[in-house]
Amino acid sequence: MRRSNEPLFWSLFSAGGMLAALLAPAVILVTAFLVAAHDISYSHIHSLFTNILGRLVLFAFASLIFFHWAHRFRH
């Protein structure tokens, strides 16, 4: 019997769904409130996203959320 790749895709789907449902709104709200309250400046956010580790985390975050969307769209 041939092994299936389906569990891998379903785990990526669930990881993206968890990020989309729980972490994405929290990240957006916290960032919006911190910038609006002037607790964090543009230079801090810029330095976070120009750092290689920050870029990798942001890429993984966005990739999983987009994979979740693509999987739902396909099925």
Side-chain angles (χ1 to χ4, degrees):
M1 190 174 224
R2 192 173 153 247
R3 293 190 74 153
S4 173
N5 291 337
E6 196 169 340
L8 173 68
F9 292 119
W10 280 104
S11 65
L12 290 172
F13 170 75
S14 65
M18 190 272 307
L19 288 176
L22 297 177
L23 294 181
V27 168
I28 291 168
L29 287 175
V30 167
T31 304
F33 286 130
L34 288 176
V35 170
H38 300 291
D39 289 338
I40 192 168
S41 66
Y42 173 77
S43 62
H44 286 99
I45 294 174
H46 181 68
S47 66
L48 175 69
F49 292 135
T50 55
N51 184 2
I52 189 69
L53 185 61
R55 285 184 179 188
L56 287 174
V57 168
L58 183 64
F59 178 75
F61 187 72
S63 295
L64 284 173
I65 290 175
F66 286 133
F67 185 85
H68 177 78
W69 170 83
H71 195 271
R72 282 190 68 120
F73 189 74
R74 182 169 184 244
H75 292 284

